[in-house]
Amino acid sequence: MGLYLLDYGAGNVQSLANSLTRLGHSFKWISTAADFDDATILIFPGVGAFGSAVKSLETRGLREPLLRYIQSGRPFMGICIGMQILFESSTESPFSGLGVIPCPIEEFDSSDKAVPHIGWNSADLAYPTSSAAEPIHPVHYYFVHSYCAKYAPEKYPAAAEWVHSTTQYGRELFISSVRKGNVFGTQFHPEKSGAAGLALLDAWLRNPEFDVSASAARRVAPVLKPKHSLTKRIVACMDVRANDQGDLVVTKGDQYDVREKAELSTTATTNTAGQVRNLGKPVALAARYFEHGADELCLLNITSFRHSPLQDQPMLAVVRAAAECVFVPLTIGGGIKDSVDPDGTRHSALEVAGAYFRAGADKVSIGSEAVYAVERLRAGGDGKGDGTSAIETIAHAYGRQAVVVSVDPRRVYVDPATYDGPYKDELVTGRTGADEGKAWWYQCTVSGGRESRQLSVAELARGVEVLGAGEVLVNSIDRDGTGLGFDLDLLNLVKRNVRIPVVASSGAGSKEHFVEVFEGTDVEAGLAAGIFHREEVRIEDVKGALQAAEINVRIV
């Protein structure tokens, strides 16, 4: 008897387990249909794609026992897909939901905003309450989804009775939480919503049978606001690699060179590289950034477990340890590709990503493999992927919101008066400073910037969106480590070519640069590494500057 968690076999459910452990709640996992009989409280932390979740429940014989549990009146909480599965259906998949709530799940309209909806947004209660037992408060919670239950009380009046809170994204209102009887569900992820999310989980677990019917009688219809409450995200990134002693450390490159500059010897004729730049231990830095208010964290293994990704136990241990003390989204990159172990064992990119997710990652970042996949896409001529790329296989299993593509472009300067090449429509002309009068296009690279490809950043961005990426992380080899600010021309170019969220990276040297990138582009997030590691700029100071500039941010 007691609290049980239902893991349907995909996505990061470890984060919820870590959250409950932090809060002091013991739990067990549902492993067979018989376990439902022993559960007195059940949480379904669904992560990933609707169809994958339903299919897995059916394959494991858990769908009907789950429905019977919900109908029994015992407390149930569904998170993200765990909430969506309560509805009738989803346009994401031909599989049917449980049908508890008579309303479909539909895709967001991307005509006026980026989709997926990724980031921190508000959840506005459908009725006023002053009860201390109410778990949802007027703070920001973390959302990451492409599909939602749209708020349409005229069309679905019975579903409207379930609405506990709504959220606005762009000009759309959707149901962000449901509550009726024994059932509570959130579209957002409390286990990834920092202290606010932990407080929500604890409040519900301590009083899961709180009766909301009296408050529901005072239901207030939500209305569209002039602007949604989605915040701009500040991401702290840690490049992780082994130093010369074999220890995993956080490092930072200067235009992708992570070694200290060695002094020239007066007697030697060659200059050897210095030691790997060591800026701290990854788990300790991750914990510090979480406490200081980072909205997301990114761990990139820049050695890429080149030959045996699933045998890189130290990096997997870093992910597990970070996930135990960090309760905001965690993106992991490096080695997300099909690979072969030294003994000949083959591993798919999907298998590697799954290992990351089980260790506690929420998203995976794909680099060079994305370039190769888009090259194959363009060579195919039909504008469709072949279904085998890392982007496609992971997005199919876990949802596109789980896939980030990290791009590494560099400028290629041309004569604007004579250039008539394939990228003439993408040329950028410098207007100020040293760039004034110059023209260039942005060429994609692979292998950490060491190899250039005949592919522009705009072509790559459009291609990865077609393949199923949910977000683009835009680096700049030219700006990396310079402290000159983000490359706004590059970011605006990418943003014009995609309808998925864009994260700005490379070049930040001051808090003012974050204000500049959010005022000068429509990117959803800004990322930095070295200036945070060296504490030249603090995350709190960045958010203070953004708040002073009236840019919406999450304040811890």
Side-chain angles (χ1 to χ4, degrees), residues 367 370-372 374-375 378 405-408 444-445 455-465 472 498:
V371 176
Y372 304 140
V374 171
E375 288 176 340
R378 292 174 60 80
V405 167
S406 178
V407 302
D408 297 317
C444 291
T445 68
L455 188 72
S456 76
V457 71
E459 291 172 332
L460 177 61
R462 292 193 298 267
V464 299
E465 182 176 14
V472 180
V498 296

Side-chain angles (χ1 to χ4, degrees), residues 127 161 164 179-181 209-219:
Y127 38 80
E161 297 176 5
H164 190 61
R179 191 161 195 182
K180 188 177 182 181
E209 298 182 12
F210 172 59
D211 185 5
V212 299
S213 58
S215 297
R218 302 190 300 272
R219 192 180 304 274

Side-chain angles (χ1 to χ4, degrees), residues 94-109:
F95 288 93
S96 298
L98 297 178
V100 175
I101 304 175
C103 175
I105 300 294
E106 302 173 280
E107 190 170 12
F108 279 114
D109 176 9

Side-chain angles (χ1 to χ4, degrees), residues 309-310 316 335-339 341 345-358 390 393-394 397-398:
L310 294 183
L316 288 171
I336 311 296
K337 59 184 179 181
D338 296 342
S339 58
D341 284 349
T345 303
R346 295 183 177 276
H347 299 288
S348 68
L350 180 61
E351 186 181 356
V352 176
Y356 271 142
F357 292 137
R358 287 189 295 276
T393 56
I394 297 169
Y398 296 103

Side-chain angles (χ1 to χ4, degrees), residues 34-114:
D35 291 331
F36 285 98
D37 295 333
D38 295 327
T40 53
I41 304 178
L42 177 64
I43 302 179
F44 184 2
V47 181
F50 186 94
S52 297
V54 175
K55 183 177 180 181
S56 179
L57 288 174
E58 292 178 347
T59 300
R60 297 173 61 191
L62 301 179
R63 177 186 173 115
E64 292 307 314
L66 170 61
L67 182 58
R68 287 196 297 270
Y69 174 92
I70 294 171
Q71 293 171 337
S72 74
R74 286 170 287 172
F76 170 83
M77 180 179 182
I79 297 173
C80 194
I81 294 296
M83 184 192 89
Q84 290 189 5
I85 204 171
L86 295 171
F87 289 74
E88 287 183 336
S89 61
S90 173
T91 56
E92 184 181 10
S93 165
F95 288 93
S96 298
L98 297 178
V100 175
I101 304 175
C103 175
I105 300 294
E106 302 173 280
E107 190 170 12
F108 279 114
D109 176 9
S110 63
S111 63
D112 66 336
K113 57 186 176 293

Side-chain angles (χ1 to χ4, degrees), residues 147-164:
Y147 295 80
C148 67
K150 298 184 180 182
Y151 180 71
E154 298 84 5
K155 191 173 182 180
Y156 303 107
E161 297 176 5
W162 286 82
V163 176
H164 190 61

